[in-house]
Every structure is written in structure tokens, then in C-alpha cells.
């Protein structure tokens, strides 16, 4: 019975999420666009085969819509976040521990004989497909670095059907594959490090695996030294089941059209402060500092303006009314009327897991807003984020400056009004 690490990664995550509720996208080139539909941030394999690269401006690849029937989707973050949470919940059923690495990746601890490990990886893949509807690849190995490598092998070899367990592979075959894969394809080795390694005659994963660990430590860092040790089967990177404490919550977006008036910027700050407060309540945190920012385009020919101010809150809070009032008031003081702002943001920092000691006596502020945030949170949890809010934050219709998402799919799992209808 061997202790092993499985790295489970959703294939082409954003695209796969779009395909769950729209099966006609399967087999067709699909791209997902960034904020304001600016550039490509995710591609299906069919889109990759057309030569479309991540980061490509949308206007440069739009021709593929007519020439190759390419499907375009705006980023549907609500859908992606919800399906990610569902994937992670399914994975948690299979491991003795779990470390969520990113929105579409998770390490889990598993154990078994070589045959059992492969069978378990296959069951994990099937369970995610059945419960969530997205395809995953599973790499199983003794260390995190090797698990990432095994996942890479599974993803690029269709005959493995999405599963690669290194315990079931011949050692000679592993060495051969590692001799073909560039060292820059290895987890944690970037282009700059790859260039330096190339100067030492290290160009493949196999080259790095056989390198002298002392020399690597001397010329690079302990991090790369650990990578070499992990490639040789020595676990050096511990798992972390708890995420690091959040340092801040930031709600910042670019506008689809410039904001030039104080009235519109007040609307921005009101909505962003309420969304930040909602995040505080969801995470069980209280903020002690509030920062508001705005900015013009760095490429605009007009007057540049980047107003920002940080306020110390009177007490740790997650109260949407207080945060909204302070954010709006601060921005009124620093914004220049008539200048074209293209982005704005609210940052909540100095976070702590408890509200702290309540203030009494002459230092206490009079308030009639106790528990309003709890009421707003409860209503939103039951009826959706747009069901209630303060001022503009309670409007279901998006304001004119809000993020452009012309090609967005419905929020199938997070908005009651957009839940799919099944007719039998």
C-alpha cells in the first residue's frame, strides 16, 4: 500500500464549463474572452488547432467565426466559480487530504497498490464527469512535481484516456518521455530559468533530473533544488489543506465605456463596496481598512488621473451600509469631474476573522444599521445577488459602464431567472 499524490486538472476549464449546458459546442472551435471581450483567455482544442493563441486580441481572430464556425463566449465567472466548487467537492470524497491549487486544479492524497491507484484515478475521472459534466485528467505519482508531470503526460496522450499513474509505467519509458519534454514545461520552471538552465546544458526534464542538486542550489535557489529532488521521487513540497489567510479582498474592473461624472462614479463605488461586503460575509471576515481607486487609460491622450485614498475604518466591519457610505464619500473628494476614467476599484484590507471588541460610551458611533448586512446576505443567498441591494446595488439592470460581456452564456447555476428549463 503506497501513499501517492494525484493532481486532477479540468481540461480547457472555461470552455468545458460552457459545454456542460450547451452540448452543440462539443467538437467545435470555442474561445472564451477576457473582461470587456478584449482578448482570448481560453481555447478549446479545436481552436488551438486553428493557431489561436492565449492573449490574442479578439478582433484578430474574429474572422474564424465565419470561416470555421468558431463559437465565442464572454467570461461567465459566476458559472465557472460554481462548477469549480462542485468539482472540488467531488474530489474531496476520494482523498485522505486535499489541496485546491487553482480554480481548475487540485492535489489529493490517495493510497493503494499500483493497480489500485490506476483504478482509483479512473473512478475519479468518471465521478467528475458524471456529477459535474466536465472532463479531467489525473496524474498520480510520489511527489507533487511528478504528479504534475504525470498529468501533463495524460493530457497529451489520448490513448491513456486521461489517466497516468507513474507506478504502472516502466522506468525506461518514463526516462524516455522526460528526455523529450522541454524543461520549461515542468511545474515551476519559467522561461527565464529555462534560459539559464540551457546555458548549463539542461534543456529537458531528464537533464534536470540528473543534475547535481548542490550545484542547482548554489546557482539557483532552494526551490529549484526541491524540484530536482521531487523529480527523483523525494517529496519536498508539503501539502497545505488550508488556504493562506487572505490579506485583502479587491473588487476592481475596467469599464465598458468611460465614466466621466461624479454621479456615475458614485454608482460604481456603491456597487463595488456592496460586492466587497458580500465577500467579507461569505468568508467570515471583517475589514479594518478601505481603499478606493480609479484610473484613466495610460494610452489616452487626455489628462491622466489616478485618484486613490485609504481610510482606517472606525471599527472592524463587514457592514455594507457603512462601507458604501465611506467609499462613495471618499471618491467624491478625490475624483476630477469630466475626466474619462476607465477603471475603478474598492479594496478591503486589514482583514481579521472576528469583529474585535465592541466600542462603548463616548467613542461609539450611533447606528441603526445593526444586522442589515446579515439580512441582505440572507436574501441574496436565497434569491440571488441581484435580488436586493443599496441604491444602484439593488438594480437588476446592469449600468451602462459595467463590464462588457456581449457573448455571455446564462448563469445557469447561480441565478434563479437563468436556470435551464427541461421539458419532458
Amino acid at each position: 500500500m503506497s501513499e501517492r499524490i494525484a493532481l486532477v486538472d479540468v481540461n480547457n476549464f472555461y470552455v468545458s464549463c460552457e459545454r456542460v449546458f450547451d452540448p452543440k459546442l462539443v467538437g467545435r472551435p470555442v474561445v472564451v474572452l477576457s473582461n470587456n471581450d478584449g482578448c482570448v483567455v481560453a481555447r478549446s482544442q479545436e481552436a488551438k488547432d486553428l493557431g489561436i493563441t492565449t492573449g490574442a486580441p479578439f478582433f484578430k481572430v474574429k474572422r474564424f467565426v465565419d470561416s470555421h464556425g468558431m463559437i465565442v463566449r464572454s467570461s461567465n465567472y459566476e458559472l465557472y466559480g460554481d462548477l469549480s466548487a462542485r468539482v472540488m467537492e467531488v474530489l474531496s470524497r476520494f482523498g485522505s487530504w486535499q489541496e485546491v491549487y487553482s480554480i481548475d486544479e487540485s492535489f489529493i492524497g490517495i493510497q493503494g497498490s499500483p493497480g489500485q491507484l490506476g483504478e482509483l484515478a479512473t473512478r475519479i475521472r468518471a465521478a467528475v464527469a458524471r456529477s459535474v459534466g466536465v472532463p479531467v485528467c489525473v496524474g498520480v505519482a510520489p511527489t507533487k512535481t511528478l504528479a504534475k508531470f504525470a498529468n501533463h503526460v495524460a493530457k497529451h496522450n489520448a490513448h491513456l484516456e486521461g489517466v497516468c499513474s507513474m507506478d504502472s509505467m516502466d522506468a525506461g519509458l518514463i526516462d524516455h518521455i522526460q528526455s523529450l519534454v522541454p524543461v520549461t514545461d515542468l511545474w515551476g520552471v519559467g522561461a527565464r530559468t529555462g534560459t539559464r538552465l540551457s546555458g548549463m546544458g539542461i534543456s529537458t526534464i531528464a537533464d534536470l533530473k540528473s543534475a547535481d542538486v548542490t550545484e542547482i542550489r548554489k546557482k539557483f535557489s532552494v526551490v529549484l533544488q526541491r524540484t530536482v529532488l521531487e523529480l527523483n521521487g523525494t517529496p519536498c513540497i508539503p501539502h497545505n489543506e488550508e488556504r493562506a489567510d487572505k490579506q485583502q479582498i479587491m473588487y476592481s474592473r475596467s469599464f465598458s465605456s468611460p465614466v466621466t461624472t461624479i454621479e456615475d462614479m458614485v454608482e460604481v463605488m456603491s456597487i463595488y463596496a456592496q460586492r466587497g461586503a458580500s465577500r467579507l460575509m461569505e468568508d467570515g471576515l471583517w475589514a479594518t481598512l478601505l481603499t478606493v481607486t480609479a484610473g484613466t487609460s495610460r494610452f489616452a491622450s487626455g489628462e491622466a488621473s489616478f485618484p486613490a485614498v485609504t481610510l482606517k475604518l472606525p471599527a472592524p466591519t463587514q457592514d455594507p451600509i457603512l462601507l458604501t457610505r465611506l467609499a462613495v464619500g471618499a471618491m467624491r473628494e478625490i475624483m476630477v469631474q469630466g475626466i474619462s476614467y476607465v477603471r475603478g476599484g474598492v479594496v478591503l484590507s486589514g482583514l481579521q476573522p472576528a469583529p474585535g471588541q465592541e466600542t462603548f460610551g463616548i467613542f461609539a458611533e450611533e447606528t441603526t444599521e445593526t444586522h442589515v448586512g446579515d439580512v441582505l446576505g440572507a436574501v441574496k443567498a436565497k434569491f440571488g445577488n441581484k435580488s436586493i441591494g443599496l441604491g444602484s446595488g439593488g438594480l437588476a439592470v446592469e449600468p451602462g459602464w459595467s463590464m462588457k460581456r456581449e457573448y455571455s452564456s446564462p448563469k445557469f447555476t447561480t441565478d434563479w431567472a437563468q436556470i435551464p428549463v427541461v421539458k419532458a
Side-chain angles (χ1 to χ4, degrees):
M1 190 77 67
S2 301
E3 297 282 343
R4 291 293 183 262
I5 297 173
L7 187 278
V8 186
D9 179 18
V10 183
N11 302 340
N12 304 317
F13 179 62
Y14 287 1
V15 172
S16 294
C17 290
E18 295 290 348
R19 285 173 166 171
V20 169
F21 293 98
D22 195 352
K24 73 174 183 290
L25 302 185
V26 176
R28 299 184 64 178
V30 181
V31 297
V32 178
L33 304 178
S34 63
N35 292 349
N36 292 315
D37 296 339
C39 61
V40 176
V41 294
R43 308 157 294 157
S44 67
Q45 186 58 52
E46 296 80 6
K48 295 175 184 178
D49 293 340
L50 293 176
I52 298 173
T53 59
T54 299
F58 177 46
F59 73 88
K60 288 189 175 181
V61 301
K62 195 172 182 179
R63 67 183 187 277
F64 290 112
V65 173
D66 294 326
S67 63
H68 291 79
M70 182 179 75
I71 302 297
V72 180
R73 289 287 182 264
S74 302
S75 293
N76 188 341
Y77 299 119
E78 296 84 355
L79 176 65
Y80 308 154
D82 185 65
L83 292 191
S84 172
R86 295 176 187 226
V87 170
M88 300 310 163
E89 191 282 323
V90 172
L91 297 182
S92 69
R93 307 172 193 171
F94 291 90
S96 56
W97 56 266
Q98 179 182 22
E99 178 182 342
V100 178
Y101 183 65
S102 68
I103 192 172
D104 62 347
E105 290 181 274
S106 180
F107 292 104
I108 57 175
I110 60 176
Q111 58 183 10
S113 65
Q116 291 172 333
L117 292 169
E119 291 173 2
L120 179 57
T122 299
R123 292 207 310 273
I124 290 172
R125 191 167 188 265
V128 174
R130 181 178 63 254
S131 300
V132 186
V134 294
V136 301
C137 283
V138 186
V140 181
T143 71
K144 283 186 174 180
T145 301
L146 287 174
K148 288 281 273 186
F149 167 73
N151 188 282
H152 176 88
V153 173
K155 191 171 293 185
H156 291 84
N157 292 273
H159 69 280
L160 294 177
E161 298 183 337
V163 171
C164 177
S165 176
M166 294 189 66
D167 288 87
S168 300
M169 296 178 66
D170 179 76
L173 176 59
I174 294 174
D175 291 340
H176 175 68
I177 296 173
Q178 290 179 341
S179 70
L180 300 176
V181 181
V183 70
T184 48
D185 282 358
L186 188 65
W187 183 41
V189 179
R192 185 175 299 179
T193 300
T195 300
R196 291 180 61 194
L197 287 170
S198 180
M200 298 171 58
I202 300 175
S203 59
T204 68
I205 293 178
D207 294 335
L208 184 60
K209 180 179 179 180
S210 61
D212 182 271
V213 291
T214 304
E215 191 70 13
I216 291 294
R217 172 67 179 89
K218 185 185 302 182
K219 294 188 175 181
F220 293 89
S221 66
V222 68
V223 175
L224 194 60
Q225 181 187 39
R226 288 173 182 165
T227 297
V228 175
L229 291 170
E230 290 233 332
L231 284 174
N232 285 279
T234 302
C236 298
I237 306 173
H239 66 269
N240 179 21
E241 296 181 58
E242 296 295 330
R243 289 190 179 231
D245 291 342
K246 286 187 177 180
Q247 301 300 310
Q248 64 180 22
I249 287 175
M250 178 170 64
Y251 204 94
S252 178
R253 296 289 187 273
S254 295
F255 309 138
S256 59
S257 58
V259 169
T260 60
T261 67
I262 289 179
E263 290 75 20
D264 282 347
M265 188 62 80
V266 163
E267 188 177 49
V268 171
M269 292 296 112
S270 173
I271 292 174
Y272 286 8
Q274 290 178 66
R275 290 178 180 175
S278 294
R279 290 280 302 281
L280 286 173
M281 286 183 277
E282 289 172 9
D283 296 340
L285 296 171
W286 279 257
T288 60
L289 296 171
L290 167 70
T291 301
V292 295
T293 66
T296 53
S297 171
R298 298 184 184 276
F299 306 101
S301 57
E303 182 179 351
S305 177
F306 300 93
V309 65
T310 298
L311 306 176
K312 186 178 185 339
L313 299 172
T317 186
Q318 53 180 208
D319 179 11
I321 295 179
L322 175 62
L323 293 171
T324 299
R325 185 171 65 235
L326 292 176
V328 167
M331 186 53 71
R332 282 184 183 276
E333 294 293 325
I334 60 176
M335 176 189 170
V336 180
Q337 176 90 359
I339 286 183
S340 296
Y341 293 98
V342 298
R343 65 181 61 86
V346 170
V347 183
L348 300 166
S349 55
L351 306 184
Q352 57 188 53
Q357 181 65 43
E358 186 176 354
T359 304
F360 295 97
I362 62 173
F363 300 106
E365 289 190 1
E366 285 191 31
T367 177
T368 59
E369 299 149 3
T370 305
H371 305 309
V372 170
D374 294 338
V375 173
L376 293 178
V379 173
K380 288 182 179 182
K382 186 171 183 179
F383 298 104
N385 284 328
K386 296 181 180 179
S387 58
I388 192 172
L390 308 174
S392 300
L395 299 178
V397 179
E398 294 283 356
W401 48 262
S402 60
M403 185 171 64
K404 179 182 177 182
R405 293 200 278 187
E406 183 179 345
Y407 306 97
S408 182
S409 55
K411 301 177 182 65
F412 292 108
T413 63
T414 59
D415 190 326
W416 284 107
Q418 300 182 46
I419 288 179
V421 176
V422 178
K423 298 180 180 180

